[in-house]
Amino acid sequence: MEDKSFMERALTLAKKGAGFVNPNPMVGAVIVKNGKIIGEGYHEQYGGLHAERNALKNCKESPKGATIYVTLEPCCHYGKTPPCTEAIIESGISRVVIGTLDVNPLVAGKGAKILADNGIRVEVGVLEKECRRLNRVFNKYMTTKLPYVVMKYAMTADGKIATTSGESKWITGDEARENVHRLRKNLSGIMVGVSTVIADDPSLNCRLDEPSKDPVRIICDSNLRTPFDSVVVKTANEGETIIATSSEDDVKIAEYEKRGCRVLRVPQGKNGIDLNYLMKEIGKIGIDSVLLEGGGTVNFSALESRIVDEVHIHMAPKIFGGRSKSPVEGVGISDIGNAIKLNPVNSSWCGNDLVIENEVIY
């Protein structure tokens, strides 16, 4: 029970790195001696000290003979920082409790083995499920080089995303919208279809009263219809903006590039641009995760292309009725047996709105 409580603390610390360490994993570490925490730390920013070294740096007394609880297997290779295994061995720590092994082939069990070979007692698997889920973005990107995609939409209790006149601001309350901005902070990119840009002229940035960063903006625009006077284009020199298109209009592409946009040429797919191709391309430039805030057409295309890993549904206690827009449209599913299935993994209340987080089952 004691091991679990200290690992829970390490998990809490690890989450503080959300949005700042991509494409590295979030990691927390707690050093315990004689039943008391003497040092703790987490991976705070990309390129900075890892959790284990921060915890050792923050120790209030000698860690010799202590136990370190770490959510992810300590690294054993030289990257932007030296191996954490070296620091642990040199510290005199006698026991290492690991939440889960690292999927990075440079580590992948090697870190734990090095520690054990140096006479340190190593235990793996405390709160393993929770530790693996914490780094689901890192795990997918590390093993596939494809970004982890979270589809998010806000809807009424009767499944509408707008009134019959097209109004959509705001379906959910302040707390739910703050939750969305936290998602924007935590993920590397945010993607919408050009129709959303034309209809709403969104900023697609992160607005929180806490340290944060803006995601890379990705606009799916087959025929280059994104207005030059839209916010995303006018602010392209302030926040990275990618326009993914299958257009071959070199003159217009040059105009977007002159305004600071990055244009990615993507083949045409069955329903718009080829989203699988796009995911490979943005993965190559280091975008490890994407928040999809598209309309019904883009959302269905993304699900049909099987690029979506999670669906976050923000449901407001309101009813619009009528034949207004729904969050997922497209051609739809004709056979109920072919429905896209979701596995609910978490639910919570944001004010009066219910937020349901689902894994997509393909």
Side-chain angles (χ1 to χ4, degrees):
M1 193 65 189
E2 194 176 61
D3 283 349
K4 285 186 178 181
S5 65
F6 289 129
M7 189 62 77
E8 283 171 355
R9 175 60 186 163
L11 278 164
T12 298
L13 289 167
K15 291 172 186 175
K16 291 185 176 184
F20 300 109
V21 300
N22 310 60
N24 279 354
M26 291 176 279
V27 186
V30 174
I31 300 173
V32 178
K33 192 171 184 178
N34 298 322
K36 293 182 179 179
I37 295 175
I38 62 168
E40 58 182 29
Y42 65 97
H43 186 26
E44 297 175 12
Q45 61 183 14
Y46 179 72
L49 291 178
H50 288 184
E52 300 92 325
R53 288 183 177 269
N54 274 328
L56 287 166
K57 182 185 71 173
N58 296 332
C59 270
K60 295 177 285 189
E61 60 180 90
S62 170
K64 188 173 182 179
T67 296
I68 185 168
Y69 294 84
V70 60
T71 55
L72 185 68
E73 179 182 10
C75 66
C76 55
H77 65 286
Y78 282 86
K80 291 189 176 292
T81 58
C84 289
T85 49
E86 283 185 7
I88 292 170
I89 292 165
E90 290 168 4
S91 73
I93 282 173
S94 60
R95 180 174 175 246
V96 177
V97 180
I98 299 169
T100 185
L101 295 178
D102 196 337
V103 299
N104 185 345
L106 294 174
V107 187
K110 300 182 185 75
K113 184 177 186 303
I114 287 170
L115 294 171
D117 288 347
N118 278 271
I120 296 173
R121 183 178 162 199
V122 178
E123 296 172 30
V124 180
V126 175
L127 297 184
E128 183 171 15
K129 182 181 177 182
E130 292 84 348
C131 291
R132 283 189 63 81
R133 178 160 175 77
L134 174 72
N135 281 311
R136 55 199 184 278
V137 168
F138 170 77
N139 290 342
K140 179 183 179 182
Y141 187 67
M142 177 54 66
T143 54
T144 67
K145 292 304 175 190
L146 295 172
Y148 193 95
V149 179
V150 178
M151 175 191 292
K152 167 266 159 188
Y153 54 79
M155 69 177 193
T156 61
D158 59 335
K160 302 296 193 297
I161 62 171
T163 64
T164 52
S165 65
E167 282 187 62
S168 60
K169 295 182 179 179
W170 296 101
I171 290 175
T172 52
D174 292 342
E175 294 93 335
R177 292 201 297 278
E178 182 178 328
N179 182 61
V180 173
H181 282 277
R182 192 157 284 108
L183 267 176
R184 290 183 180 185
K185 182 200 85 169
N186 292 348
L187 303 177
S188 297
I190 180 169
M191 187 167 80
V192 299
V194 65
S195 296
T196 296
V197 175
I198 292 169
D200 301 335
D201 195 20
S203 299
L204 302 179
N205 58 5
C206 180
R207 300 185 290 278
L208 290 170
D209 294 327
E210 61 185 58
S212 58
K213 63 165 184 57
D214 290 334
V216 176
R217 300 176 293 195
I218 304 160
I219 316 301
C220 298
D221 184 1
S222 296
N223 301 306
L224 290 181
R225 295 189 296 127
T226 302
F228 289 126
D229 63 352
S230 62
V231 171
V232 290
V233 174
K234 288 192 295 185
T235 61
N237 285 314
E238 301 165 24
E240 188 173 355
T241 303
I242 295 172
I243 297 179
T245 185
S246 50
S247 170
E248 296 181 1
D249 188 336
D250 292 335
V251 173
K252 204 167 186 182
I253 286 172
E255 285 297 317
Y256 285 111
E257 291 175 336
K258 189 165 70 176
R259 288 166 168 79
C261 298
R262 179 173 185 166
V263 179
L264 284 182
R265 297 180 189 244
V266 180
Q268 190 73 3
K270 188 168 69 172
N271 299 300
I273 61 171
D274 186 330
L275 293 177
N276 286 292
Y277 184 95
L278 175 59
M279 291 303 104
K280 290 176 184 175
E281 291 303 299
I282 64 174
K284 287 177 186 176
I285 60 177
I287 297 175
D288 69 347
S289 50
V290 171
L291 177 61
L292 174 58
E293 289 197 54
T297 302
V298 171
N299 284 350
F300 182 78
S301 181
L303 288 165
E304 191 177 38
S305 300
R306 299 192 169 199
I307 67 166
V308 182
D309 297 285
E310 292 187 18
V311 175
H312 289 201
I313 303 166
H314 291 59
M315 188 167 69
K318 301 172 182 176
I319 292 175
F320 288 166
R323 295 182 178 274
S324 50
K325 294 180 178 179
S326 67
V328 182
E329 295 178 339
V331 296
I333 301 294
S334 59
D335 183 346
I336 196 169
N338 294 328
I340 296 162
K341 297 177 178 62
L342 304 177
N343 173 38
V345 292
N346 189 46
S347 62
S348 58
W349 290 97
C350 284
N352 293 324
D353 303 310
L354 177 62
V355 179
I356 308 171
E357 300 174 18
N358 307 272
E359 293 174 338
V360 184
I361 303 169
Y362 292 113

